[in-house]
Amino acid sequence: MSERLQPGDSAPAFTLPDADGNEISLADHKGRKVIVYFYPAALTPGCTKQACDFTDNLAVLAQAGYDVIGVSPDKPEKLAKFREQEHLKVTLVGDPEKKVLEAYGAYGEKKLYGKTVTGVIRSTVIVDEEGKVERALYNVKATGHVAKIIKDLGI
């Protein structure tokens, strides 16, 4: 199981394909704060709710200086379908090898319906302008999470 990130840690660098197959890097966002959120799978109810919440609040977050990147183990084709079907505006990237998910502590053992399974741990890491972890939130709920982030960040 991967180690969880702590405030002050350097956010692991990554370059992953987005829904259109374009390479998206954390480094592309240097100088802006980035909310990197990790979710188990596109086109599932909880993940759809969370992605729609981020899309609905994208302008508010952008105005406060935050970019948003959603990371899942999905391939770009599935991300594209997810984006079209749900009219998502948030940047979605795929990590089929789960290397970035592991680097961020967002993949490992978790409880699912009372059983211990290995999978994506719904998590959010807020990275500052210098690429350092400002906050690392693990085992977050899909519903109400975006509103909590906005409240906690004082936006």
Side-chain angles (χ1 to χ4, degrees), residues 101-122:
L101 287 155
E102 287 176 2
Y104 276 79
Y107 188 82
E109 281 190 358
K110 63 179 185 175
K111 292 260 187 241
L112 190 66
Y113 306 115
K115 290 186 171 44
T116 300
V117 297
T118 300
V120 176
I121 299 160
R122 192 181 303 276

Side-chain angles (χ1 to χ4, degrees), residues 63-134:
Q63 198 171 357
Y66 291 89
D67 295 336
V68 180
I69 302 173
V71 182
S72 72
D74 297 309
K75 290 187 167 34
E77 302 77 36
K78 187 172 180 189
L79 297 174
K81 184 177 179 190
F82 187 33
R83 183 186 62 197
E84 311 314 91
Q85 190 172 312
E86 302 298 334
H87 310 288
L88 301 173
K89 302 274 184 268
V90 65
T91 300
L92 301 172
V93 297
D95 181 21
E97 274 111 55
K98 302 175 188 76
K99 287 188 176 21
V100 175
L101 287 155
E102 287 176 2
Y104 276 79
Y107 188 82
E109 281 190 358
K110 63 179 185 175
K111 292 260 187 241
L112 190 66
Y113 306 115
K115 290 186 171 44
T116 300
V117 297
T118 300
V120 176
I121 299 160
R122 192 181 303 276
S123 312
T124 300
V125 176
I126 300 171
V127 181
D128 72 12
E129 299 90 340
E130 302 303 314
K132 296 267 189 233
V133 174
E134 196 174 286

